[in-house]
Amino acid sequence: MNNINWLSYKSSIHIDPAWKKRAAAAMTAYAKKTSNQTEQIYGTKHSLTPFKIAVALAVFALFAISPAAIASAKYSRPGQLLYPLKRLTENVKLAVATNTEAKTAIQINQTVERTNELSVSIEKDRQDQQLKAVAEVEATRKELEKLPSEIKRDTYRKIRERLEAVKEKARHEIVKKRLEAIIASFEDKLDEVEVKKDEGNPSPTPTNKPQSPTPANSSSSSGGSSSEVHVETNNGYTEIIINGNVVVTVAPSQNESKIDVKVRGGSVKVNTNSNVNSHSVIDLQSDD
Amino acid sequence: MKDHDHKYDVEALFHLARGGDGQAWGQLFTIYVDDIYRYAYVKLGNTMDAQDVAAETFKKVWLSLRSMHYENFRAYLYRVAHNVIVDTYRTKKRITVNEQLLAHIEDERQRPEENIEKKQDAQVLYDALRKLPKEFQDVLQCRFMEDLSVKETASILHKSQIWVRVAQYRATKKLRNILSDKS
């Protein structure tokens, strides 16, 4: 570019010296005023941002720890040597999940995995491991509260059902009692979610509800006093409503004419008609 | 890295500024603001906008200074300036008249004894550059006006080094053709 006079072009553009002087003073003042902000943004003088630390830890976890150890850790249970590694890989998975849906799916899978661990610990009959596994399950309840409300309800149900199945297998009294407490807390959470849902979609009051064609068939499960009993279907789940309150929910898989369901405080037998429709009338009979 | 007369002083100033010294940052501003102003002015053709871009660039770089190394500092200034200019383009209509250059040429008319040939060269080059595609103008400006390396140019323009080399070759060829047509 010898024949192109860049220097002449360059020298034809020069800055206003008065502006430069003013701007330099203003820049100095700005820098002095905001010198704390640079620290707030970038943390330390070593420029180790939290993101860099997290990435470094994730890389360490993925490469420094051998794949064989990670594979073995997959089947570990609370109280075992490789269990912390299993939880670490789970947390890394959760941390690198990019969208909310993926994070939700991972959280639910982790909760299910906790119940599986408890189930296996019970089968192996290691009381110490069982108690640790119970503690892990308890801890997941807090995590589940962060889930979106529309998923929370189904997840609480799923986990509660699994825990009830696990409780049946438990042999140690202390494990059983703690599991009962956890199941009760899940039921409370489920009630909360359902009450919120009802508040969000106000349904007609029991007196305003369409009456069933044969209301005389309705009866309460205990004591024989007359109550308004209805069945409603919601997303495949059958809800049994007594005096306007949802007391029992039945999973879609239990689509039979006679359903044994558990209500808090005892179990009842629900005789549905051949098809359960919205506002069908059912009989509730004491199971005992 | 452009060789400044006070290279080691500048490096010391950089480290002082990186440690939060506002006075040192003011001095670095004085050293580099001409380059950034010129870079912005050639693109925007407007004194006020170029001053705004220069000030905004230094403010942004100051806030991210702690995570920076001295070796990349000058190229980073240009890169931030380039991004600020792109934002300015988006919000404002580009002014194509190089008002300062025209003012200089007007001065030369009034003072013909002072190196008029040099100024005419500048005007010819300015007109020829304006006929090139914008990307070619950017490459030539970085490489020949700002004395930036291929690597630094690639970093500023968010392109690969190969792209910069090829664009530089084509832009130079095209500019030569335009200038030879004029003469």
Side-chain angles (χ1 to χ4, degrees):
Chain A
M1 297 297 292
N2 294 332
N3 58 344
I4 298 175
N5 193 348
W6 289 103
L7 194 64
S8 66
Y9 186 28
K10 198 171 166 178
S11 60
S12 71
I13 301 162
H14 55 79
I15 202 162
D16 176 11
W19 177 82
K20 186 177 170 180
K21 201 175 173 183
R22 277 200 314 275
M27 189 57 62
T28 307
Y30 175 79
K32 282 180 179 171
K33 193 178 160 189
T34 56
S35 62
N36 290 335
Q37 277 185 28
T38 57
E39 285 196 30
Q40 281 168 12
I41 294 168
Y42 292 99
T44 65
K45 287 181 180 180
H46 306 291
S47 71
L48 267 180
T49 60
F51 178 74
K52 281 181 184 173
I53 295 166
V55 168
L57 282 176
V59 169
F60 175 78
L62 289 173
F63 294 102
I65 301 165
S66 76
I70 294 173
S72 311
K74 197 178 172 186
Y75 303 101
S76 62
R77 298 187 303 279
Q80 290 186 327
L81 189 65
L82 288 175
Y83 189 70
L85 182 57
K86 179 183 183 178
R87 294 304 303 269
L88 178 69
T89 47
E90 282 182 356
N91 290 340
V92 169
K93 268 187 199 170
L94 192 63
V96 298
T98 46
N99 55 41
T100 322
E101 283 175 9
K103 278 192 179 175
T104 305
I106 290 170
Q107 273 180 332
I108 293 171
N109 285 341
Q110 284 183 0
T111 311
V112 172
E113 182 60 24
R114 296 294 86 79
T115 59
N116 289 343
E117 287 163 6
L118 177 60
S119 178
V120 175
S121 296
I122 287 171
E123 281 167 15
K124 301 278 178 188
D125 201 21
R126 288 282 305 271
Q127 193 180 345
D128 57 331
Q129 285 183 2
Q130 286 173 35
L131 290 173
K132 282 177 184 169
V134 168
E136 293 288 346
V137 173
E138 275 176 336
T140 57
R141 207 186 57 220
K142 281 182 187 172
E143 293 298 315
L144 290 180
E145 282 175 23
K146 295 172 193 166
L147 292 178
S149 55
E150 65 272 16
I151 299 167
K152 218 187 262 185
R153 190 161 163 250
D154 291 345
T155 311
Y156 281 148
R157 265 202 202 105
K158 191 177 172 185
I159 301 300
R160 188 193 59 185
E161 282 166 14
R162 291 183 78 95
L163 288 174
E164 277 171 352
V166 171
K167 197 189 87 180
E168 295 299 315
K169 293 194 284 180
R171 286 186 284 272
H172 297 286
E173 202 56 36
I174 187 167
V175 175
K176 271 188 181 176
K177 278 184 180 174
R178 284 186 69 177
L179 268 174
E180 275 170 10
I182 296 171
I183 290 166
S185 70
F186 267 99
E187 280 172 356
D188 289 343
K189 290 284 168 196
L190 196 54
D191 288 347
E192 273 176 31
V193 174
E194 280 169 350
V195 166
K196 274 183 191 168
K197 190 194 161 210
D198 290 345
E199 283 169 358
N201 305 304
S203 57
T205 55
T207 50
N208 293 336
K209 274 188 175 182
Q211 292 298 313
S212 65
T214 53
N217 290 343
S218 303
S219 61
S220 69
S221 59
S222 59
S225 61
S226 174
S227 301
E228 283 188 17
V229 182
H230 295 282
V231 173
E232 288 188 4
T233 52
N234 190 352
N235 293 334
Y237 283 90
T238 308
E239 291 177 339
I240 298 164
I241 301 163
I242 300 175
N243 290 338
N245 296 318
V246 178
V247 291
V248 176
T249 50
V250 185
S253 58
Q254 293 173 288
N255 191 15
E256 295 167 2
S257 61
K258 287 190 176 183
I259 306 167
D260 290 320
V261 290
K262 293 193 190 315
V263 188
R264 213 183 313 158
S267 63
V268 293
K269 187 167 280 176
V270 180
N271 298 318
T272 65
N273 294 326
S274 54
N275 289 313
V276 177
N277 296 318
S278 181
H279 307 300
S280 298
V281 174
I282 58 163
D283 291 330
L284 287 181
Q285 294 171 345
S286 175
D287 198 29
D288 302 320
Chain B
M1 194 74 190
K2 187 181 175 180
D3 286 329
H4 280 276
D5 293 341
H6 312 291
K7 185 180 174 183
Y8 296 104
D9 293 343
V10 170
E11 193 167 350
L13 281 173
F14 172 82
H15 289 297
L16 281 172
R18 198 163 170 252
D21 188 334
Q23 198 71 39
W25 183 244
Q27 290 180 44
L28 281 174
F29 175 86
T30 310
I31 292 166
Y32 287 108
V33 72
D34 292 67
D35 293 347
I36 300 303
Y37 170 84
R38 185 177 55 246
Y39 184 78
Y41 184 80
V42 168
K43 289 194 187 311
L44 299 169
N46 176 296
T47 308
M48 294 287 279
D49 285 347
Q51 287 173 351
D52 287 348
V53 167
E56 186 63 24
T57 300
F58 278 88
K59 279 183 182 177
K60 286 192 171 185
V61 174
W62 164 250
L63 292 175
S64 57
L65 196 64
R66 283 185 194 279
S67 59
M68 207 177 293
H69 296 288
Y70 176 67
E71 290 71 29
N72 310 323
F73 175 58
R74 186 163 175 263
Y76 188 74
L77 278 174
Y78 281 104
R79 187 173 177 157
V80 172
H82 184 84
N83 293 341
V84 173
I85 290 164
V86 170
D87 290 344
T88 311
Y89 267 114
R90 280 185 194 141
T91 51
K92 288 185 180 180
K93 195 181 170 185
R94 189 180 170 187
I95 298 163
T96 52
V97 180
N98 189 329
E99 58 183 43
Q100 201 173 35
L101 187 61
L102 291 180
H104 272 275
I105 287 162
E106 192 60 34
D107 282 351
E108 293 309 322
R109 282 184 191 148
Q110 289 166 7
R111 292 177 292 161
E113 71 283 1
E114 279 183 33
N115 206 4
I116 192 163
E117 195 182 329
K118 190 179 164 187
K119 297 296 177 189
Q120 279 173 344
D121 278 354
Q123 180 62 47
V124 168
L125 187 53
Y126 173 78
D127 291 341
L129 271 173
R130 286 288 164 267
K131 287 178 184 168
L132 293 175
K134 196 187 159 294
E135 286 180 329
F136 284 3
Q137 290 179 34
D138 290 344
V139 171
L140 292 180
Q141 191 190 353
C142 286
R143 295 285 291 123
F144 301 113
M145 284 188 72
E146 308 304 334
D147 303 321
L148 292 159
S149 68
V150 171
K151 193 180 172 185
E152 286 170 336
T153 306
S155 155
I156 292 160
L157 301 178
H158 306 278
K159 302 281 186 187
S160 69
Q161 292 186 41
I162 293 171
W163 184 91
V164 171
R165 283 180 203 283
V166 172
Q168 182 189 323
Y169 173 75
R170 288 178 183 168
T172 312
K173 200 173 165 186
K174 207 165 184 176
L175 186 64
R176 277 205 184 109
N177 287 340
I178 293 167
L179 289 170
S180 62
D181 287 348
K182 279 201 166 188
S183 61

